[in-house]
Amino acid sequence: MTDQKKPVLRAAGIDKFFAGAIALDQVDLTLFPGEVHALLGENGAGKSTLIKCITGAYHRDGGTIRLGDTEIDPRGPEESQALGIGTVYQEVNLLQNMTVADNLFLGWQPMRAGMVDRRQMNRRAQDILAEYGLHVDPSLLLSSYSIAIQQVVAIARAVELSGKVLILDEPTASLDRDEIDLLFSVVRELTARGMAVVFITHFLDQVFEIADRATVLRNGRVVGTRKLAEVTQGDIVELMLGRHLEAAKRDRSHATPGDTILSLKGYGKRGMIEPFDLELRAGEVVGLAGLLGSGRTETCKVVFGAVTADQGSAELRGKEIRLTSPRGAVEHRFGLCPEDRKIDGIVGDLSVRENIVLSLQARQGWTRPLSRARINELVDEYVRLLDIRLASPDMPIRLLSGGNQQKALLARWLATNPDVLILDEPTRGIDVGAHAEIIELIEGLREQGMALIVASSEMEELVAYSTRVMVLRDRRQVRELTGDEITTDRIVKAISQEETAA
Ligand SMILES: Nc1ncnc2c1ncn2[C@@H]1O[C@H](COP(=O)(O)OP(=O)(O)OP(=O)(O)O)[C@@H](O)[C@H]1O
Ligand SMILES: [Mg+2]
């Protein structure tokens, strides 16, 4: 059992201060060989910061790190990786415009006569990735593959480089069930070889599925380490939040949708999304369900006009419109909170404040700046409403924790008070407590008469807030579920081809 083994890694008394805030306070983390150790906590609790202090990506202000019997002090990810600690960070940091093989081998490419041996590199990349069940062409640009595949490339890179500890910071946030299975089988393989794996996630089901122990952080402190076989999900949630969480319940008895706001007929874009019909009324939430790559994100983008439809027609309150750009959509009072906050969302170097008012300011026009007082009022309101944890709204948004960045992005679109709000994976990277709050928020917006389209890979979530669910498969609308048909069971069946459009 893990208890008898000597720890492979031991971080003790780790402190980290940022200007104006204590991010980590005397944090201990002990990893045994062969274990999957979950690192849990609310958004901003300090999980990513702890990892960065262990790898030396951040300079720590106190504490020691031992790898086996030796005290180590890596000064950055390369150094810690060379010592045997491989890390895949929350924000995938690969090079989009280099090949898959380059990304896998960067810094340790096979050489021949002073040159990178591309043939050998591609062949080895293919072999390595095949072990992960990925059959991709390593000579293609990384950007030609989905985020999910990129994530697996990042994991393969971290594992191939090191052997003792693998740290995964929210690796499954953009993965499909099949890909999660693949990842978990890789993780089990690695722990069977004696590696210790740190797994950071907000998906507690996955924690109980794969992890042996969990350490929970709250406000930068360890509040407990537990063997998962000895506790329930409720126990863990209580540790994380310091309070009990009520289960979200489905209650749409008083769902009385209003007038039709948006009506799309035969709407689509060749090569991206097959033509579909959509009637969206005030006070409705249309959920978009489907596997990764099924066309959820494409549907969101086409409806918003981020991608221009080349078929069909759109009517807004009975008047024909053409949506050909995000700007036009914003003028028509549409909002789209995108899936990938790093690519389409946040502007990292701008402050949280500027990020929150960005879309509203854009709609109003840059020649008519919002007043300082109005900005402060909005920012205060949304920081409070969404419980965004920050030292100051003037800090660059990239310094917020991942989940808090996501909330700030949501705030940006809420601040525009749109008539039609499209949310693509609104709870990605959001902790369990905030998760429940966002579901409630969606309910609240619907009750106020907003029309929403929400894409999510989480069935329970869709069931909780959708008044209708549109199921997508292979970039095609295959089924629409309404009323009592909206159950996780029915959605799963529709997704997995057991039931097709009747
Ligand atoms: N470079 C930095 N400068 C200032 N504050 C920072 C910096 N990096 C992190 N923080 C702050 O430290 C706290 C902990 O953030 P961290 O990213 O570790 O949270 P987390 O537990 O990983 O959350 P999430 O689940 O949202 O990813 C947050 O309040 C964050 O704003
Ligand atoms: Mg984090």
Side-chain angles (χ1 to χ4, degrees), residues 134-197:
L134 275 195
H135 299 281
V136 298
D137 182 347
S139 67
L140 290 184
L141 291 185
L142 187 76
S143 57
S144 30
Y145 291 105
S146 68
I147 298 179
I149 289 179
Q150 296 182 18
Q151 185 74 267
V152 180
V153 172
I155 289 164
R157 175 181 166 81
V159 170
E160 291 306 312
L161 277 171
S162 43
K164 299 191 181 99
V165 176
L166 172 66
I167 301 171
L168 303 174
D169 194 349
E170 294 194 42
T172 59
S174 42
L175 302 189
D176 221 329
R177 187 60 236 186
D178 286 352
E179 288 160 317
I180 293 165
D181 288 341
L182 171 78
L183 171 69
F184 283 1
S185 68
V186 171
V187 165
R188 289 195 184 97
E189 179 101 351
L190 296 171
T191 50
R193 283 195 237 151
M195 254 177 117
V197 177

Side-chain angles (χ1 to χ4, degrees), residues 44 46-49 90 169-170 200 202 401-403:
K47 304 176 297 293
S48 298
T49 302
Q90 189 166 6
D169 194 349
E170 294 194 42
I200 300 180
H202 293 292
S401 81

Side-chain angles (χ1 to χ4, degrees), residues 78 81 93-95 98-111 115-132 136-140 142 152-161:
E78 286 79 27
Q81 213 152 42
N93 271 319
L94 296 175
L95 303 164
M98 293 184 80
T99 71
V100 171
D102 283 328
N103 272 286
L104 196 53
F105 284 100
L106 202 71
W108 57 302
Q109 297 103 326
M111 304 294 281
M115 305 254 290
V116 174
D117 183 348
R118 301 207 74 88
R119 266 238 316 258
Q120 200 203 335
M121 183 167 85
N122 286 333
R123 209 180 47 234
R124 273 178 55 194
Q126 197 148 28
D127 290 348
I128 289 171
L129 294 173
E131 281 179 40
Y132 294 80
V136 298
D137 182 347
S139 67
L140 290 184
L142 187 76
V152 180
V153 172
I155 289 164
R157 175 181 166 81
V159 170
E160 291 306 312
L161 277 171

